Amino acid sequence: GNSVTQMEGPVTLSEEAFLTINCTYTATGYPSLFWYVQYPGEGLQLLLKATKADDKGSNKGFEATYRKETTSFHLEKGSVQVSDSAVYFCALRDLTGGFKTIFGAGTRLFVKA
Amino acid sequence: DAGVIQSPRHEVTEMGQEVTLRCKPISGHNSLFWYRQTMMRGLELLIYFNNNVPIDDSGMPEDRFSAKMPNASFSTLKIQPSEPRDSAVYFCASSPSSGGTDGYTFGSGTRLTVV
C-alpha cells in the first residue's frame, strides 16, 4: 500500500540556517505529493504541491522537487526564520488510494533567534 | 471564502455524555474528511465523504463514533458515549474532487477533553 516516511524531529536550527526535511514515499500509482505546515493551535495548511515527476513546488521560500527515481520529495528552505517554527507533514494522494491522502508522521522544526 | 468552519473550538465534557462536532466545508468542495490528532497516534483519518456519501469509515474507532453529511454544506461527528481516551483534536478538511491533485483545506479543529 501507499506510505510516506519523513525524518524524525525535532529539528533545531538557528535563524538564517538552511533547512532540509527528508521525505520518501511508496506508491503503486502516480501520486501527487504535498507538504503541509501546522502552526501551534491551528489546523494543517497546504504549503506546496507537485503533481508529476520533476515538478517543483514552491511557496513562501520553501521548495520541494518530485523525484520519481528516488521516490523522494524533500522540503528545503535557504534561510529559515523564527516564524517558520512549526510541524511539517509530507503527504501523497493518488487514485489508487481513492480520495484519501496519506500523511507522514510530521517533523517538528524549532528555529532559534 | 471563510474557509472550513468547525464548531465548537473547545469542548469539555464528562465521560458518558454525547458529543457532537460540526463542520461546514468550503462551498464547491465535494470531498470532506474527519481526522483525529493526538500526540501518541498522530493524525488519523476517521471517515471521508464524497458528494455527501460516506466512502470509507474504516478509521472510525468504534460504534460509539458516527458521522453524517446531510447536505453539501454541513457534516457532524458524534461520539456517544464519550470516554477519556477520546480526548484529542478533531479536524475537518475539504477538497475539490478533481482526481487527487488538489490538497485539503483544514478547519481550525475542535479540542475535545473528556473528563
Side-chain angles (χ1 to χ4, degrees):
Chain A
N2 295 348
S3 67
V4 174
T5 302
Q6 57 182 110
M7 63 188 289
E8 288 190 26
V11 174
T12 303
L13 296 173
S14 297
E15 206 165 25
E16 299 184 0
F18 184 86
L19 168 71
T20 300
I21 300 178
N22 290 337
C23 172
T24 57
Y25 68 90
T26 302
T28 52
Y30 300 93
S32 295
L33 302 175
F34 306 85
W35 277 100
Y36 288 81
V37 59
Q38 185 178 29
Y39 299 102
E42 299 183 12
L44 281 71
Q45 301 175 23
L46 179 62
L47 181 59
L48 54 84
K49 71 175 185 180
T51 59
K52 61 183 187 296
D54 300 325
D55 269 1
K56 176 185 284 188
S58 61
N59 186 25
K60 299 180 182 179
F62 291 89
E63 293 183 341
T65 301
Y66 188 160
R67 301 287 189 197
K68 195 172 190 298
E69 64 276 12
T70 55
T71 62
S72 65
F73 193 55
H74 304 322
L75 182 68
E76 296 181 336
K77 187 176 186 183
S79 176
V80 294
Q81 305 299 312
V82 172
S83 57
D84 294 327
S85 298
V87 181
Y88 292 83
F89 293 87
C90 185
L92 71 82
R93 188 180 188 192
D94 75 359
L95 288 177
T96 58
F99 294 97
K100 295 189 292 188
T101 292
I102 306 298
F103 286 91
T107 302
R108 185 175 295 277
L109 170 66
F110 291 105
V111 181
K112 302 180 296 183
Chain B
D1 200 319
V4 175
I5 300 173
Q6 291 187 246
S7 64
R9 285 299 309 271
H10 302 274
E11 177 80 37
V12 180
T13 191
E14 292 185 348
M15 182 174 61
Q17 296 298 306
E18 177 181 295
V19 175
T20 299
L21 311 182
R22 297 172 175 79
C23 175
K24 177 179 169 55
I26 289 177
S27 177
H29 282 193
N30 295 337
S31 297
L32 183 139
F33 308 83
W34 282 101
Y35 282 87
R36 178 171 69 177
Q37 187 177 41
T38 61
M39 290 294 292
M40 291 297 293
R41 295 187 298 271
L43 198 62
E44 301 173 280
L45 176 65
L46 300 177
I47 186 171
Y48 77 91
F49 296 84
N50 191 50
N51 292 323
N52 313 336
V53 176
I55 302 299
D56 185 347
D57 65 355
S58 59
M60 297 285 261
E62 301 171 30
D63 290 345
R64 299 184 296 106
F65 286 69
S66 62
K68 294 182 179 180
M69 192 165 186
N71 57 61
S73 58
F74 185 65
S75 177
T76 59
L77 177 68
K78 184 178 295 186
I79 308 173
Q80 166 63 18
S82 58
E83 296 183 4
R85 59 193 168 121
D86 301 331
S87 297
V89 181
Y90 290 81
F91 289 105
C92 174
S94 70
S95 174
S97 289
S98 59
T101 59
D102 287 290
Y104 295 175
T105 301
F106 281 78
S108 298
T110 295
R111 180 174 295 277
L112 173 65
T113 303
V114 183
V115 298

